[in-house]
Amino acid sequence: MLLAMVLFGLMATFSKDVLTNGGITGPQLVAFRVIGAAILFWLGSIIVPQQRIEPRDFLKIAGAGFFGFALAQGGYIVGLSFTSPINATIELTTMPIFTLILSSILLHERITPRRALGIIMGFTGAILLITRTTAGDGRPTDLRGDILILISQVGYAFYLTHYSKVIRKYDAFTFNKWTFTFASLFILPFTLPHIMQIDWPGMSARTACEIIYIVAGATFFTFLLVVFAQRRLQPTTVSVYNYVQPFVAVVASMAMGLAAPQWAHGVAAALIFTGVWLVVNNRASKESTSRKDTDC
């Protein structure tokens, strides 16, 4: 999950550049990402052992494709094209909170004080990091973008919790190729007119390379890692890693000379990773206790 969030964090920078300077619209980038990933997963599944999907699970996988990919990923990218980067990144940090609430309702996960403290610390660190780094961003905001991004975070939290059993049931290639296929079918009626308007000859090499990274690196490879992790971690644990993304985005900005280091960055990083550690270590402790009880 840590590696997946690093790749996601880098994707944010490339996505913003593609949307603002690459002549690509939000719906077009959604189509590139979802349909492109579906094609890669089907090609990849040729060289790995095939796992048969039980007919009764197809409806669940279709739902996972809608909430986890069509709604969550599509809503975020389209929302990002409307609102400012600071708003988008702040709203991204709400997903672990939604996941904690839904896990408590749907999975009857107990909200321990340690886990709640970890999420609060991670959230505080992310907000501190974002506001100190993006202060002075003059890009205009649009309420439609903010609403879309918040809806996308609720959608992904629902995907992590409600579909956790079917996620753990199938291997990463099998699960992803079908969820992205269903997601492609969901978004195609809305994105097809935009796909037809893409200026292929006028696309710059830089934009093409950024899109390749978004599709192959930050979607195909990343979701292999995410599903691998989802089979081994609780939804709340998976979601808290979301706080790593702003940290990666800021580090990338510093490396590119787009942001100067400040003392607040060190404090924010400490809060984020301590918060992640509290949530993850809480889960590890419970698993260790469970194994000891079983051994006895």
Side-chain angles (χ1 to χ4, degrees):
M1 276 305 300
L2 184 61
L3 179 56
M5 291 304 104
V6 169
L7 294 173
F8 271 140
L10 293 174
M11 184 198 74
T13 303
F14 293 130
S15 295
K16 290 170 189 175
D17 189 51
V18 167
L19 291 170
T20 55
N21 303 314
I24 299 296
T25 65
Q28 289 169 348
L29 187 56
V30 171
F32 274 123
R33 193 179 182 202
V34 176
I35 298 174
I39 293 171
L40 290 178
F41 279 118
W42 275 97
L43 292 175
S45 67
I46 296 174
I47 60 175
V48 298
Q50 302 292 311
Q51 186 177 10
R52 181 176 172 273
I53 299 288
E54 294 183 19
R56 64 180 181 179
D57 287 335
F58 273 109
L59 186 60
K60 297 176 184 177
I61 291 175
F66 175 76
F67 286 103
F69 304 115
L71 178 62
Q73 309 306 320
Y76 175 74
I77 290 175
V78 175
L80 183 62
S81 67
F82 285 120
T83 193
S84 67
I86 181 171
N87 285 29
T89 316
I90 288 174
E91 286 149 8
L92 196 67
T93 63
T94 61
M95 196 267 286
I97 299 172
F98 292 135
T99 303
L100 183 67
I101 295 170
L102 288 173
S103 292
S104 176
I105 296 171
L106 300 176
L107 303 179
H108 307 292
E109 264 190 46
R110 191 166 66 92
I111 303 177
T112 64
R114 185 190 186 101
R115 176 165 288 182
L117 177 62
I119 289 179
I120 291 170
M121 289 183 70
F123 178 76
T124 303
I127 296 299
L128 177 62
L129 185 71
I130 295 160
T131 53
R132 294 295 295 184
T133 302
T134 58
D137 187 324
R139 183 176 176 181
T141 63
D142 190 319
L143 184 59
R144 292 176 300 173
D146 296 328
I147 293 173
L148 272 174
I149 292 174
L150 285 174
I151 291 173
S152 75
Q153 298 313 294
V154 175
Y156 197 71
F158 186 74
Y159 158 79
L160 287 177
T161 53
H162 186 67
Y163 298 102
S164 59
K165 290 183 179 179
V166 74
I167 291 170
R168 294 171 185 232
K169 188 173 182 178
Y170 297 102
D171 66 79
F173 268 101
T174 301
F175 182 77
N176 278 317
K177 79 176 182 181
W178 283 108
T179 49
F180 272 98
T181 297
F182 281 116
S184 298
L185 295 176
F186 288 133
I187 69 165
L188 196 58
F190 304 99
T191 59
L192 185 59
H194 298 274
I195 295 172
M196 303 299 292
Q197 298 173 3
I198 296 175
D199 181 14
W200 297 99
M203 185 181 296
S204 68
R206 172 174 173 169
T207 299
C209 288
E210 289 174 333
I211 291 174
I212 290 172
Y213 173 79
I214 291 168
V215 174
T219 307
F220 172 72
F221 185 62
T222 298
F223 274 100
L224 283 179
L225 297 174
V226 168
V227 171
F228 180 86
Q230 286 172 320
R231 291 164 63 89
R232 291 157 177 81
L233 300 173
Q234 284 188 330
T236 305
T237 305
V238 170
S239 70
V240 80
Y241 277 97
N242 209 49
Y243 292 137
V244 175
Q245 290 189 57
F247 177 76
V248 173
V250 170
V251 170
S253 296
M254 291 179 184
M256 297 170 64
L258 301 177
Q262 302 177 29
W263 65 267
H265 295 148
V267 175
L271 286 169
I272 289 170
F273 286 106
T274 301
V276 171
W277 179 82
L278 283 171
V279 175
V280 173
N281 190 60
N282 181 73
R283 173 60 177 165
S285 298
K286 291 171 69 175
E287 288 177 343
S288 176
T289 302
S290 177
R291 282 194 294 269
K292 288 179 181 178
D293 292 342
T294 303
D295 291 342
C296 291

